[in-house]
Amino acid sequence: MDKKQILRIITPGLRTKLSFITILLVSVILVVTSVVTYRQQKNALQEKLELEIKNPLVYLNGIVLELENINRSLVLIEEFKIRVEEKKSELKKFKRTVVSKEVGFLGTLKDLGQSIGLAVKRGNVYTSVDTYYSRYLSDKEISIFESKIKNELQGEAGKPIDDINYQRIQKIAKAAALEKIKSEKYKFRVREISDLKESINAYISDTSIDEISKSKLNLERDQLNKEFIQISKNIITSDAKALNFESNLNKALLNIFKGNYKEKIDSIGLLPDKIRIFVYDKHGKESLDTASLFPLAPETSKKLLLREEYKQILTDLFSKKQIETQFNSNSKSIDVVGRQFEVLTKPVFKNPDSAERAITLLGFLQKEKDFYNQYFIEDTKIAKEIKTLSTEIRIRLRELRKTGKTKPGSDKVFRELTEKYRSLISKREAKFKELLPNQNVIAENKIKWKEQGLQFKKNFDDLNAKLSEWKLKAKSNQKENEKIYSIEEIDYKIQTLESQLEEMRDNIALHESSKDDWTKFIHEMSNDSVLYLRDASLHDFSFIPYKTGNSNINKYYKSGDERKRIQTKYTHFRNWVLSANSETELPKLRGTEIYNDSGILVHSRSEVEEAMWELDGKPLLESIEGKRGLIFEILEKDIIGFNIVILDRTDGIRQIKKNREETMRYVAIIGLFAILLSFIFSHLFVRRIKVISKNAEQIEKGNLNVTFPKAGYDEIGILTDSLNDMVSGLKERDEMRGELIAAEEIQKRLLPEKLPTSLSDKIEIAAFYKAMTGVGGDYYDFIELNDGKLVFCIGDVSNHGVGPAIVMALFRSQIRSIFRRGERNLKKVLLEANASLYEETPDHIFITFFLALFDPVNSQVEYVSAGHIKPLYFDASKNKIHELPAGGLPLGMDENSFFETTIERRAIIMDSSDVFFQYTDGLDEARSPSGDFFTREQVSKILLDNSQTSVNEIVNSFVKDLEKHTTFNLSQSGMSALSDDIAMIAIKKL
Amino acid sequence: MKVVKENIIFLDPTLGSLVLLRSEIRKFVSELVSKQLQNRIIFSLDEIVTNVIEHGGILSLDQKIEIRILEYTDYLCFTVIDFGKPFDPTKYTGADSKQKLASGADGGFGLNAIKKVASLHYTRLVAENKNKLDLHFRKDNHG
């Protein structure tokens, strides 16, 4: 067995390869299908669950906000009560006593008595009246606020809270309020101590003070330090207590609302066995667990809550650092003993109007980091100016408060300062409008909206026109040339068009209503956030809303009118703050109550003013990476806690896995079937190829009597036909090769077997012939004539192959027969040969021919040339090579009438040692491997160099130099690899 | 007379450039005239240019031989312009062949053959020191 056969056995065949490819393909399909399906189903499940938790989550967020509001309000009410008591005495000094005459029935009676001369006099009545500075929240206002809050405290089925329960929560709220006030006072004292310490330090560093005073001051400073430490501890304690009381209050409130919440959560379809929601405040205290509302529901995630991964989520969420940064929702999957849980954490913000704006802007800036950079630079500058201005206003207010006579709104200096403030706010707005980087985007959005509207309108009109057309068809007779429709068809068409028209009408209405809808346009919303975030935040600070949730901001984004209204309200509110005419009463706008939907104003104008300075005096964004700027501060203040949603996705995931396994099973069955089919098909395929392969092996062995069986019209069929054609071609070529060999044999025989020797005493003769591959067209001959003369000739038939070889053979015979006939005139010989060649051979076959006749008597060489190369002649007397004239038209190219004009008989007398040399163009045009010709100059040189030697040696020299030039072995008999035949003859006169 | 097509060739005054001459003429006339006339044209031009190269006494390779080929409606005109010594082939009466045979001298027969198939017109361009020879072949020349 040879190597090839062994390789054939061990190398996998087509069947194996095809089966392997099929397996590979099936595996890839299997993997891709299962991955894609798994992903799709997982996404579908995710979407389904998200949809399921959406409503409960919104509701729970509402609960959290509501609880926060009520908690805050209850504590505020108690705070107000305490403060009012305290402030009553504090603000007493700002009250004014008004003296008026006694009024009423008694006063009138006294007046009457006086008029009739009685000794009675109407007395003076002294009343204490509030001034601007003495005005704070009244008992009445607090009581209205309290009753509103009390009304909201409703239990299951709207049952109002009983007095015992209310007193209990009131007590907790009061405790929280007391701790808050305490903490505030401590903080105030801390600031005082800091100021005092600074003053003492300044005194101590003064060198003019004596040592006794210094030691006194030092002692005082030490005492302040001790107090500072004690108060700092007190602050922590009070804050912690306040937090604790607030938390207890939250729990107490939750107990009140529990029944109410449970009913609601139940009605919005929360699946307690699949979804569990925890509500945490921002300090990590749990305020609600849906599992506690549904005691019968299984404790879905009991084991999960004990897992380290879950605990880590909580730790991360409530560590200080995380709270500052977690403004976005997050989710994590946790596997608990074969059950799959998804833990979602979502932040809860208390003031949606400001929080939503901040989140929108932050989201936009995360994508387009440098978008508002230019404006933010201006904003920072203006904020700085406002900060400086607000200090001036604060000082002025302090001065006014000292005297308590003029209210700020009536003070000229204050008014000038606030005017400056107003102009800075206007400047900031104008800067934003000037630097607005997305004007084009907004304009484009408007154009697109308009274009879509026009398109809808056009579609509507088109449909309407079609409908009218069909309605007309239904009424009138149809034209002869048109397609005829049945009444049913027309009715159906009309109905379809009507429903399309209805749909289009809805689209138009929907489109019209979306005219000012910003919810899909982030650029508009971001711009709004930049402009109104401060106003929204100020509003959130000042009011406790009646209604919680995102509905207000959603309405704001959707409606242009609403935006206009809210923006007017913001401006009006700022004006109220800046005009400083009243501390607690909000003015109406052109007689309308524009703050009706705002909620309860829970801060005095002065407090709001402080907050406004704080908001306006801080840059909106300082660094997005460093999370510095007002946007971040607002979010940090607004975050009140987190919702942690635990989704039990086990069933869904199991179903997905089951589906995947089922898919895999089906794909595997199909795959196996595919492999089997591929094996069968490849078997059939290979069987046909094997037959071809066997036959091909026969051809390889030289057996051309092989027929490939017909194999249809596919690629193998085509291959079989081609192979059959190839075999017949090979057969023909084989036969032709035989013919060629025969032709070569004939050609060889045409050349003289041996050179003539009859004139060996007078001349030396040598010749050389080398054929190229195949049958050549060169020829030379020597003919000994009976009169002692010698004819020698050399010729080159155009083209190569069997045809020209036959022409040459015939031509040789003709020349010989003409001379045998006795003709000695060389021109006539050529004319006769030309006549028959011109007549009998095709146009492309002609012969360049040189014919010469040597006369031994006078050593004359008479010659004629028919387009052949000029012969070379070595003149021994001059030791010089001459190029003898030749010319003439090649034989067979033109008719004799023209041919004879081109032929010239010439003669030359040979002297002793002269050499006559003639050759075919194969010699001077022989190429070297680099493609260079041997050249006629080289031929002349070799002839000259060897002219003193015998003609055989001359020829041998040519052969040697030629071998060197072509690198072919020309001395060897048989055919060569030359590109053309070479023939040469040399005659030397002895 | 309207010129249908034209071409100009510049040849080095060496025998090697005859290959280019033959192929350019063949390219130009192959579609225009019979195979026989093609051969005659090539033969004639070959003879003329060979004469110029071999006997014109051109000394420099820069003295190119200019061949202008013009096709008219009925005939083809070949103009050979060279820097060779003045020679008017139309005045060449033909040598005594017997004399030539004995002496072995070269030339003459080619010109006679050319005159048989083409009409020749010679001009000496004195100012430029050039020979100008026009050869006219009728397109219907079949011998």
Side-chain angles (χ1 to χ4, degrees), chain A residues 450-712:
Chain A
K450 222 172 189 176
E451 281 173 354
Q452 202 184 359
L454 289 172
Q455 186 59 46
F456 280 147
K457 181 84 182 40
K458 191 182 169 292
N459 291 351
F460 183 83
D461 291 345
D462 289 349
L463 284 170
N464 223 353
K466 272 188 192 169
L467 184 66
S468 312
E469 210 177 287
W470 282 92
K471 276 183 176 168
L472 202 71
K473 250 180 210 172
K475 283 178 193 166
S476 57
N477 290 332
Q478 292 179 40
K479 288 173 189 167
E480 262 182 37
N481 296 337
E482 284 179 359
K483 193 185 167 188
I484 307 293
Y485 292 97
S486 68
I487 294 167
E488 288 78 17
E489 276 177 317
I490 294 172
D491 275 350
Y492 177 72
K493 195 76 195 173
I494 288 172
Q495 275 171 21
T496 316
L497 282 168
E498 275 174 348
S499 90
Q500 282 175 354
L501 210 61
E502 196 57 42
E503 204 178 310
M504 197 47 71
R505 203 173 281 132
D506 289 347
N507 281 343
I508 291 170
L510 207 66
H511 181 258
E512 281 296 330
S513 70
S514 72
K515 187 180 180 185
D516 295 315
D517 189 351
W518 280 358
T519 45
K520 283 173 190 162
F521 301 108
I522 185 71
H523 281 274
E524 280 87 341
M525 291 201 287
S526 300
N527 285 355
D528 179 84
S529 297
V530 175
L531 268 177
Y532 296 109
L533 181 62
R534 287 186 176 101
D535 292 283
S537 187
L538 185 66
H539 186 268
D540 287 340
F541 166 80
S542 313
F543 295 90
I544 286 190
Y546 299 130
K547 200 168 72 179
T548 56
N550 288 347
S551 57
N552 281 344
I553 185 82
N554 288 343
K555 197 174 163 194
Y556 179 88
Y557 283 145
K558 276 179 185 292
S559 155
D561 291 342
E562 177 68 4
R563 285 197 289 274
K564 214 169 173 182
R565 191 180 72 78
I566 298 288
Q567 285 159 15
T568 312
K569 185 163 82 174
Y570 286 161
T571 315
H572 191 261
F573 191 59
R574 266 184 186 276
N575 280 336
W576 170 68
V577 177
L578 288 166
S579 62
N581 282 320
S582 68
E583 268 299 281
T584 53
E585 266 174 54
L586 284 168
K588 291 178 180 176
L589 175 69
R590 289 188 288 274
T592 53
E593 297 274 357
I594 53 164
Y595 299 102
N596 270 354
D597 62 337
S598 297
I600 300 156
L601 178 71
V602 288
H603 288 284
S604 65
R605 191 207 67 85
S606 302
E607 287 162 342
V608 175
E609 190 175 43
E610 285 283 346
M612 183 179 81
W613 292 337
E614 184 78 8
L615 287 165
D616 288 333
K618 265 184 192 153
L620 214 47
L621 184 76
E622 286 175 86
S623 154
I624 194 149
E625 289 88 7
K627 301 195 187 317
R628 279 186 288 115
L630 193 63
I631 312 171
F632 292 102
E633 280 182 26
I634 287 171
L635 277 176
E636 276 164 32
K637 272 183 197 160
D638 282 353
I639 198 162
I640 51 167
F642 291 93
N643 287 336
I644 297 180
V645 185
I646 297 173
L647 301 169
D648 185 352
R649 318 173 83 182
T650 315
D651 291 348
I653 296 281
R654 276 184 190 159
Q655 186 58 43
I656 292 172
K657 278 184 182 163
K658 204 177 148 196
N659 290 349
R660 188 175 57 178
E661 278 160 18
E662 203 171 339
T663 314
M664 297 268 272
R665 236 185 347 262
Y666 281 123
V667 176
I669 292 166
I670 295 166
L672 277 173
F673 189 65
I675 293 165
L676 193 74
L677 270 182
S678 82
F679 191 81
I680 294 167
F681 278 122
S682 58
H683 175 75
L684 294 171
F685 180 72
V686 166
R687 205 171 59 176
R688 286 156 74 195
I689 291 178
K690 272 195 167 176
V691 174
I692 293 170
S693 152
K694 268 186 188 170
N695 285 350
E697 275 172 14
Q698 286 294 312
I699 295 168
E700 192 188 342
K701 284 174 190 164
N703 179 13
L704 293 178
N705 294 320
V706 171
T707 312
F708 292 89
K710 275 270 173 202

Side-chain angles (χ1 to χ4, degrees), chain A residues 96-107:
Chain A
R96 211 168 49 206
T97 306
V98 177
V99 184
S100 60
K101 290 283 176 192
E102 203 175 355
V103 288
F105 177 69
L106 203 62

Side-chain angles (χ1 to χ4, degrees), chain A residues 11 13 26 51 198 341 366 945:
Chain A
T11 312
V26 168
L51 210 69
E198 263 180 44
F341 292 101
Q366 270 161 2
D945 292 349

Side-chain angles (χ1 to χ4, degrees), chain A residues 354-384:
Chain A
S354 53
E356 197 62 36
R357 279 187 173 90
I359 289 168
T360 305
L361 183 57
L362 212 56
F364 182 75
L365 289 173
Q366 270 161 2
K367 284 180 198 158
E368 305 263 357
K369 203 179 131 202
D370 303 324
F371 198 76
Y372 294 111
N373 267 6
Q374 247 182 312
Y375 170 71
F376 285 148
I377 293 166
E378 295 299 324
D379 182 82
T380 308
K381 280 184 204 164
I382 296 168
K384 208 173 169 187

Side-chain angles (χ1 to χ4, degrees), chain A residues 85-98:
Chain A
E85 280 309 309
E86 283 174 0
K87 294 229 171 185
K88 261 180 191 168
S89 52
E90 194 189 311
L91 303 174
K92 218 171 186 175
K93 60 178 178 184
F94 295 118
K95 291 213 174 193
R96 211 168 49 206
T97 306
V98 177

Side-chain angles (χ1 to χ4, degrees), chain A residues 50-87:
Chain A
E50 271 173 18
L51 210 69
E52 271 176 20
I53 64 163
K54 194 184 167 189
N55 284 337
L57 214 55
V58 168
Y59 180 66
L60 280 172
N61 281 349
I63 290 176
V64 174
L65 288 177
E66 202 176 318
L67 282 175
E68 164 74 20
N69 274 347
I70 294 172
N71 193 326
R72 191 174 152 207
S73 305
L74 285 168
V75 176
L76 261 177
I77 289 164
E78 294 310 312
E79 259 185 80
F80 286 151
K81 282 180 187 169
I82 298 162
R83 280 184 209 276
V84 164
E85 280 309 309
E86 283 174 0
K87 294 229 171 185

Side-chain angles (χ1 to χ4, degrees), chain A residues 827 838 843-844 862 870 883 885-890 893-895 897-898 900-908, chain B residues 15 35-36 39-40 43-44 47 50 54 100-110 112-114 116-117 142-143:
Chain A
K827 194 170 176 177
Y838 183 67
D843 276 355
H844 63 275
E862 184 193 343
K870 291 172 177 174
E883 202 174 52
L889 199 66
M893 199 180 258
D894 212 324
E895 58 193 9
S897 60
F898 179 66
E900 74 167 324
T901 62
T902 70
I903 302 301
E904 191 176 356
R905 282 170 65 202
R906 301 170 202 268
I908 190 161
Chain B
L15 290 173
K35 187 86 183 166
Q36 191 184 53
N39 289 331
R40 286 177 180 183
F43 172 79
S44 306
E47 278 290 324
T50 307
E54 289 188 340
K100 285 184 90 181
L101 185 67
S103 69
D106 187 16
F109 269 77
N112 290 334
I114 294 164
K116 202 169 162 53
V117 288
H142 302 300

Side-chain angles (χ1 to χ4, degrees), chain A residues 115-131:
Chain A
S115 65
I116 55 169
L118 293 173
V120 286
K121 194 182 173 186
R122 191 196 261 214
N124 280 341
V125 180
Y126 295 89
T127 44
S128 182
V129 182
D130 267 330
T131 64

